[in-house]
Each structure stands twice: as C-alpha cells, then as structure tokens.
Amino acid sequence: MEAEGETVTSLCVGEPDFAPPKCVLDAATAAMIGGQTRYTAVTGTADLRKAIAEDLKSRKGVEYNPVTEIVVGNGAKQCVYQGLLAACGAGDEVIVPAPYWPSYPEMALLVGASPVILETSVDDGYLINPDALD
C-alpha cells in the first residue's frame, strides 16, 4: 500500500528502528563507568523522574511532582497491567481503544474486569472521542 502512495500507520512493536543518539550512548556509558550498574528503585531513580518532569513541563507545558506523580516502567504493557492491577477488579469495565495491542483486553480479564472495545479513527488521531463514550 505504501508503495502505491497510500499512508500506512504502523502499529507494530514500539521498538525504535534507529540507534540511540550519541548523547544517550555517552550518558549510559558514563553512568556504567561511574558504577551505576545496580537495580534502581522500582519507581525509577529520583534524577530520572525529575528529568522526566522537567521534560514534560518544557515540551508539553504540564507540571508533575516527580516524587509523587511520576513512575518509570520498562514498557507500556508493564505499566498498563500494573495500573489495571491497582485500579480494577471483578465487575469493573475497562475501555480498550481500538486499534490496540492484542494483550490489552486479556490484561483486563486477568484482573477480573471486562474489556470494552471502543473504536477510534484516524480522523481523531486514534484518540478517544468523548462523544463515543455515550
């Protein structure tokens, strides 16, 4: 389809198809040489959470407390599942915007909730349209 000039939105694995920038590689190397090779706090290091808060403020104009409002995870699926474990249970319904990663409805079922698939559209940038929630 792409070869024919059509726009194709890839919904494949969220792994970058490019190497990390040199500054990231340099920072990781310096951290390892400096002895930062042990497990961190489950929520992420304080410095990383502070940097995320600063980035969100500068890029998106939103403010979060890095101590109480930011948690670092190792991927979206881990974070989504832990959020469901913390907030949902038997009898709850979980809205799963479509298109979705195939494991998302299963995660809702694993915590005892019922997944409710909500179709989204390219016209809305695949975001939930509040009118669709009625």
Side-chain angles (χ1 to χ4, degrees):
M1 291 171 57
E2 241 176 355
E4 296 169 2
E6 292 190 47
T7 300
V8 176
T9 302
S10 174
L11 299 175
C12 64
V13 177
E15 184 174 331
D17 61 355
F18 54 88
K22 184 175 180 333
C23 64
V24 171
L25 296 173
D26 291 345
T29 301
M32 288 183 281
I33 290 170
Q36 294 182 32
T37 57
R38 304 279 186 215
Y39 287 128
T40 65
V42 174
T43 56
T45 66
D47 287 343
L48 177 57
R49 288 181 287 142
K50 182 179 177 192
I52 291 169
E54 290 169 358
D55 176 68
L56 289 169
K57 184 176 180 181
S58 69
R59 283 190 314 112
K60 299 192 175 210
V62 293
E63 291 190 44
Y64 292 96
N65 180 321
V67 175
T68 61
E69 297 180 305
I70 294 182
V71 175
V72 178
N74 65 12
K77 286 202 294 183
Q78 174 208 353
C79 295
V80 168
Y81 186 55
Q82 288 177 315
L84 290 173
L85 281 169
C88 301
D92 290 333
E93 292 183 330
V94 175
I95 296 172
V96 180
Y100 53 85
W101 197 252
S103 57
Y104 287 172
E106 298 303 316
M107 290 177 190
L109 292 169
L110 283 170
V111 302
S114 300
V116 177
I117 309 303
L118 180 66
E119 295 297 327
T120 61
S121 73
V122 68
D123 295 336
D124 291 326
Y126 297 109
L127 298 173
I128 292 175
N129 181 331
D131 294 334
L133 296 174
D134 292 335

